[in-house]
Amino acid sequence: MSDVLILEGIRKGYNHGTPGEITVLDGLDLRVGRGEVVALVAPSGAGKSTLLHIAGLLDTPDAGRVEIGGEDVTGLNDARRTATRRADLGFVYQFHHLLPEFSALENIVLPQLAAGVSPRAAGARAEALLTRVGLAHRLKHRPAEMSGGEQQRVAFCRALANAPKLMLADEPTGNLDPATSDQVFSVLMEVVRETGLSALIATHNMELAGRMDRVVRLGDGRLG
Ligand code: ADP
């Protein structure tokens, strides 16, 4: 009942133009509990992105059920899926994907304005989030004026801007040097714990995976 993400019997395949179809996910089951942080470990090509896209409502499975925050979202139309994605999910990618012409603060204000938050409240929340991750001195900086670690901390704040139920992260520190990766991951985990956020975080880094609540491994289309 308290699971924030439920994937049940997920199947997904791609037809590469040959008679045989490639099965990427083959009856995959996964649950992420409220406040739980799960590490997703997968060799390249195993279907990690496919899984994150399905959990993130960016793609639909061929079969199976997806539940987010207690709501079955499997059969929803595009508009309802987009609404659920905006309200309940936060994304962090390997590359920051911040808007280059906007400041750190503005990058976190904009998604809140899109969700109907007032400019004043959005600005206050953006400043509080950036301050929490140690970037109070970078509010007005644009992405190009920040280091890789700072950019990822801003991207993390953006994911949290609308207080999602679940964070989906794809190698969030994979592009950083080991020391910076460790720092960014530490602050990310602190904030996740403080806010009680649930998270599914894909990583190749077994040391980071070991700092999460549970590790699931993707292979042969299922989790082990
Ligand atoms: P990972 O993220 O673990 O590297 P992906 O989920 O990106 O793996 O891909 C898993 C498999 O599915 C790969 O063999 C890939 O070639 C194939 N695949 C992924 N997306 C598509 C697509 N849109 N069309 C066809 N094949 C795809």
Side-chain angles (χ1 to χ4, degrees), residues 4 11 25 42 59 64 67 89 101 110 140 143 156 161 195 200 208 213:
V4 170
R11 295 180 55 83
L25 304 178
D59 200 357
E67 209 178 278
L89 302 174
E101 67 273 34
L110 288 170
K140 300 243 163 67
F156 172 56
T195 53
L200 179 61
L208 297 187
D213 297 324

Side-chain angles (χ1 to χ4, degrees), residues 84-102:
T84 301
R85 188 162 63 239
R86 290 204 177 130
D88 295 343
L89 302 174
F91 295 87
V92 185
Y93 302 95
Q94 182 170 356
F95 300 98
H96 58 79
H97 295 304
L98 296 169
L99 297 172
E101 67 273 34
F102 292 98

Side-chain angles (χ1 to χ4, degrees), residues 118-151:
S118 74
R120 181 188 288 262
R125 178 165 174 79
E127 186 169 349
L129 282 166
L130 286 166
T131 301
R132 176 61 191 88
V133 301
L135 294 178
H137 59 309
R138 294 282 184 269
L139 303 182
K140 300 243 163 67
H141 284 59
R142 291 181 184 194
E145 298 161 347
M146 290 184 278
S147 70
E150 289 172 340
Q151 290 165 347

Side-chain angles (χ1 to χ4, degrees), residues 10 48 73 77 93 101 103 124 138 174 198:
I10 301 294
K48 176 197 69 177
V73 294
N77 63 27
Y93 302 95
E101 67 273 34
S103 70
R138 294 282 184 269
S198 309

